[in-house]
Amino acid sequence: MVVSPAMPFKTVSSPRPVLTMEGHVCASAKLADPSLVAMLSTDPVKLVLHPTAGGTSRSTGVGLGTADEVALLSREIAVVRSGDEIWAIQNLSHNAVMDQVGRDARQLCMRAAGATALVVHWDGRATELRVGRNEVIERPFALRGNVRSCDVGPSDTFVIVDLGEGGELRVHPGATPEAGANARSPLPREAKELDRLRGGRDLSAVFKPGKTGVCIVQRKGNTLVAKMIELDMPPLEIGVVETSLFATFADGSIALYDNDSLNAANPVPTPTSNLRLPVRGEPRTVVFTGKSVPTAWIGTSSGEVVQATVVRKGPSV
């Protein structure tokens, strides 16, 4: 029987090691076509591309002292944030070439569709990075308001703007926040210090590693509604898929909270499922691929990369 994609998620299962990197895995990204995941390590800085359907991984040494975030523009071009510098790495399958393409960067946002990435700068401006003929092209533009954090989805860009007591979530159509917002939600006062955003059409989450408080924004009809929840432990990373939230913790576990659990949270949600991963280190980054049966790709502080399947509930009998 084929399970409808509308079915909610039930559990995270079948974790298995995929590869081991030399350093601490600090960031991840994905590319939809061809379907790849990128894992970025630091100390030493290396970039590994792994095909989601299986196959041989490609590892590239990156001549940087540290690394913080990564985006894939294509199978041959990646962009890495190292501190406040942005570096493009081209020709990944052969002799990689690096070129600095930005400074004063606060955040690098990947886009699963590739072709572009978004940089938010400390001075309040932003830059869209695009694939040129033989180089990565920078296109600077002004931001609307004081943007605290940003995330780029398949068809929308999500930003948190410092406005009001706790900030405001804005949803802009397209790959940058240049167009006017087509949805907004004020955030509660407790969200003021939260500085990481994971955006989605039906669920967004604002969090800060080390803080148990997480602000979730759920779609209720045509309205976005924000509320604070309290997790049992401080999350290291959070991901959102459809109406569910996934959180990784320092004890090596990943927890799933479905829509019912989040709706009932007052303020502590009960995990729909909780899985202890077969890893030595802490799960520091997670990226999801696939739609009908999503896969979680988790990178750890010990260099391990683990793949796990997100299972949907079956139809009621």
Side-chain angles (χ1 to χ4, degrees):
M1 177 181 294
V2 177
V3 177
S4 167
M7 290 292 177
F9 298 120
K10 176 183 180 181
T11 187
V12 181
S13 69
S14 306
R16 65 177 186 87
V18 176
L19 57 95
T20 301
M21 302 177 68
E22 290 184 51
H24 155 71
V25 183
C26 58
S28 56
K30 63 182 177 181
L31 185 67
D33 187 17
S35 187
L36 299 170
V37 292
M39 291 287 168
L40 179 69
S41 69
T42 188
D43 193 28
V45 180
K46 286 195 173 182
L47 177 66
V48 170
L49 301 187
H50 184 79
T52 63
T56 304
S57 301
R58 288 185 288 151
S59 178
T60 301
V62 182
L64 297 171
T66 61
D68 299 283
E69 292 173 311
V70 61
L72 291 177
L73 302 188
S74 73
R75 66 188 303 168
E76 292 290 345
I77 305 173
V79 182
V80 170
R81 180 173 72 84
S82 173
D84 62 359
E85 299 177 344
I86 300 293
W87 292 83
I89 309 170
Q90 301 189 69
N91 202 27
L92 287 170
S93 63
H94 296 92
N95 297 318
V97 178
M98 292 178 55
D99 183 32
Q100 187 172 355
V101 293
R103 299 178 184 274
D104 191 39
R106 178 160 56 89
Q107 185 181 8
L108 169 66
C109 299
M110 70 106 182
R111 179 172 176 250
T116 71
L118 180 63
V119 180
V120 178
H121 299 274
W122 287 105
D123 61 4
R125 61 190 171 89
T127 301
E128 183 184 44
L129 301 177
R130 286 186 171 273
V131 178
R133 184 181 297 273
N134 296 306
E135 59 186 354
V136 174
I137 300 171
E138 307 163 67
R139 185 181 67 82
F141 62 90
L143 288 169
R144 297 169 179 259
N146 182 22
V147 172
R148 187 193 316 166
S149 188
C150 184
D151 193 24
V152 181
S155 58
D156 298 291
T157 298
F158 305 83
V159 299
I160 300 295
V161 176
D162 285 328
L163 182 69
E165 291 188 328
E168 182 180 71
L169 172 69
R170 297 178 180 176
V171 184
H172 301 264
T176 71
E178 292 174 89
N182 54 23
R184 302 168 184 256
S185 175
L187 305 183
R189 174 173 45 86
E190 295 84 356
K192 184 176 182 179
E193 295 184 356
L194 307 181
D195 59 4
R196 294 198 185 181
L197 171 63
R198 301 293 179 259
R201 180 190 179 278
D202 297 307
L203 174 68
S204 296
V206 193
F207 73 105
K208 186 171 186 175
K211 299 285 186 180
T212 56
V214 176
C215 181
I216 61 171
V217 183
Q218 298 169 293
R219 181 173 293 276
K220 307 289 186 181
N222 293 324
T223 304
L224 298 180
V225 179
K227 75 172 184 178
M228 294 295 299
I229 62 173
E230 285 285 331
L231 302 186
D232 290 329
M233 294 182 288
L236 298 176
E237 177 63 292
I238 279 180
V240 296
V241 184
E242 297 177 12
T243 59
S244 294
L245 182 145
F246 299 80
T248 66
F249 301 101
D251 67 352
S253 65
I254 180 170
L256 158 65
Y257 304 87
D258 68 9
N259 190 55
D260 290 342
S261 173
L262 297 175
N263 285 336
N266 189 28
V268 181
T270 301
T272 308
S273 75
N274 198 318
L275 174 69
R276 184 65 63 89
L277 299 165
V279 296
R280 300 185 307 275
E282 299 176 341
R284 292 298 184 91
T285 183
V286 59
V287 63
F288 295 86
T289 61
K291 293 183 178 180
S292 179
V293 183
T295 298
W297 304 83
I298 304 153
T300 72
S301 59
S302 55
E304 299 157 287
V305 177
V306 174
Q307 172 187 352
T309 301
V310 182
V311 180
R312 293 184 187 271
K313 296 179 181 178
S316 300
V317 179

